[in-house]
Amino acid sequence: MINRVLIRLKIIQIVYAYYQNGSGNLDSAEKELFFSLSKAYDLYNYLLMLMVAVTNYAQKRIDLAKSKLAPTKEELAPNMKFVENKFVAQLEVNHQLVDFVTNQKKTWDNNQEFIKELYDKIIASNIYKDYMALPDSSYSDDKELWRKLYKNFILNNESLEQLLEDQSLYWNDDKEIVDTFVMKTIKKFDEKLGATQPLLPEFKDDEDKEFARRLFRRTILNSDYYRHLIGENTKNWDLDRIAFMDVVIMQCALAEILSFPNIPINVSLNEYVEIAKMYSTVKSGSFINGTLDGIVKLLKEEGKLTK
């Protein structure tokens, strides 16, 4: 699940904190990096649990309505399509998700106000009304419902983002990427696999884990050389005047360009320019693009970069 886009973002955050905190303990910083990545995986599981929590809340609403002193006919015989959603039923018993709930002790029980807010928006939507009006629903219909609901009500949900930020500082910048993994998981679910349906793994393979470790260490250990290259290619600038985040981003980019011969240069450049647009100043994207492009040309002329 943890892809290289997320790895790069986390490394930049940890490298920035490494210098700002002035601890100089590389091993501790590396542990912090992998802990931060594990928290992103926790968020993935937690957001999968959200769909179950909303469904369970809907069931409680039905049960409460039935227990009223004078329930209506509709309340006594409600449409159970939403609470009996086959995809969510499969998700609720998923072995990996159950293990996460058991081991991490995380639930949505303390966030019922948000669950209610989300549920009320869902049942007021045409997506929900159209689904409930179906004479019958297949597993694919049930799965498609939650794909649409997630896309429309959980993506870009400011209340949810604030709630997650309050729970963990590590989740501040993770949700946008993790959302894509949740959507991918919904699409991949297969009814025939039942509770054994595999969730996305924390790392795709050992290669990605090693990529994170190696990129982080090269960024720190070769910092003097990378900053020398940056300084040589920004002669009209005092290095101290360049936004510190820009320096960190370029350090990481140079570590990747020089340490991973199998990653095309344009891929690395594009990734870090996009990160600069999101996490640094307005002009950082073009500034970093121009500076790194100049460094790459110089290294090629000197025969230090051959890819």
Side-chain angles (χ1 to χ4, degrees):
M1 185 217 79
I2 295 171
N3 63 10
R4 295 195 175 186
V5 174
L6 185 58
I7 288 171
R8 291 181 181 102
L9 285 173
K10 290 293 186 181
I11 288 175
I12 287 169
Q13 292 167 6
I14 299 298
V15 169
Y16 184 89
Y18 174 86
Y19 290 121
Q20 293 296 94
N21 296 337
S23 66
N25 190 319
L26 189 62
D27 289 338
S28 294
E30 184 181 287
K31 287 179 183 176
E32 179 70 10
L33 168 64
F34 282 101
F35 180 75
S36 178
L37 288 168
S38 75
K39 294 300 289 182
Y41 193 62
D42 287 350
L43 178 58
Y44 164 70
N45 284 273
Y46 196 49
L47 289 172
L48 289 174
M49 288 167 55
L50 177 56
M51 293 180 278
V52 176
V54 171
T55 305
N56 288 341
Y57 176 80
Q59 180 66 64
K60 288 177 185 176
R61 289 271 287 256
I62 289 172
D63 293 341
L64 283 171
K66 284 183 177 180
S67 65
K68 286 164 55 175
L69 286 174
T72 64
K73 287 183 179 179
E74 291 77 12
E75 289 171 335
L76 287 172
N79 186 336
M80 301 293 287
K81 195 183 298 293
F82 183 76
V83 297
E84 292 178 352
N85 184 283
K86 301 176 191 70
F87 162 69
V88 172
Q90 182 186 8
L91 184 62
E92 185 171 18
V93 297
N94 180 272
H95 292 334
Q96 288 177 252
L97 195 59
V98 169
D99 285 345
F100 172 79
V101 174
T102 302
N103 296 330
Q104 298 296 325
K105 304 291 191 293
K106 288 201 73 68
T107 72
W108 287 89
D109 292 349
N110 295 327
N111 298 291
Q112 289 301 294
E113 186 176 333
F114 168 73
I115 297 295
K116 177 183 181 302
E117 174 191 321
L118 179 58
Y119 176 71
D120 288 343
K121 288 180 180 176
I122 286 172
I123 63 174
S125 70
N126 288 330
I127 296 170
Y128 174 86
K129 291 172 183 175
D130 290 345
Y131 169 79
M132 297 298 278
L134 292 172
D136 198 4
S137 62
S138 65
Y139 176 81
S140 59
D141 291 331
D142 289 359
K143 197 166 68 161
E144 178 62 9
L145 170 73
W146 271 104
R147 187 195 68 79
K148 290 178 179 177
L149 292 178
Y150 198 98
K151 182 178 180 181
N152 285 275
F153 298 104
I154 298 177
L155 262 66
N156 304 316
N157 185 313
E158 291 184 7
S159 297
L160 176 56
E161 287 167 12
Q162 184 59 56
L163 183 152
L164 294 174
E165 185 176 335
D166 290 344
Q167 289 196 43
S168 175
L169 292 174
Y170 292 98
W171 290 346
N172 283 3
D173 303 309
D174 294 351
K175 185 176 179 292
E176 185 175 347
I177 294 174
V178 173
D179 279 335
T180 65
F181 300 141
V182 175
M183 295 288 285
K184 184 177 180 181
T185 300
I186 295 171
K187 185 177 179 181
K188 283 171 66 73
F189 254 58
D190 183 342
E191 185 177 19
K192 293 190 292 291
L193 294 175
T196 64
Q197 168 72 48
L199 303 181
L200 297 180
E202 184 169 358
F203 286 93
K204 182 182 69 176
D205 50 38
D206 289 340
E207 187 178 334
D208 273 3
K209 197 169 186 178
E210 181 56 29
F211 170 78
R213 179 177 288 106
R214 188 176 174 195
L215 178 58
F216 173 70
R217 285 190 167 266
R218 291 292 178 91
T219 299
I220 299 291
L221 294 174
N222 296 329
S223 61
D224 289 345
Y225 177 54
Y226 301 146
R227 291 192 182 194
H228 167 74
L229 291 174
I230 294 166
E232 286 295 300
N233 282 269
T234 54
K235 288 185 176 178
N236 294 329
W237 291 75
D238 183 340
L239 196 58
D240 292 336
R241 289 179 55 219
I242 300 173
F244 183 58
M245 179 57 84
D246 288 1
V247 175
V248 169
I249 291 170
M250 287 189 283
Q251 258 186 247
C252 291
L254 289 169
E256 182 172 320
I257 289 167
L258 290 166
S259 303
F260 297 90
N262 294 330
I263 301 177
I265 293 171
N266 67 310
V267 170
S268 298
L269 290 176
N270 290 339
E271 290 288 348
Y272 289 98
V273 167
E274 287 305 309
I275 290 171
K277 290 176 183 176
M278 290 187 290
Y279 290 95
S280 198
T281 66
V282 176
K283 297 181 180 179
S284 290
S286 57
F287 172 72
I288 286 174
N289 187 49
T291 303
L292 291 176
D293 191 53
I295 293 171
V296 166
K297 287 178 181 176
L298 177 65
L299 292 172
K300 284 185 174 181
E301 289 170 4
E302 295 176 347
K304 295 177 181 177
L305 186 62
T306 56
K307 63 177 179 178

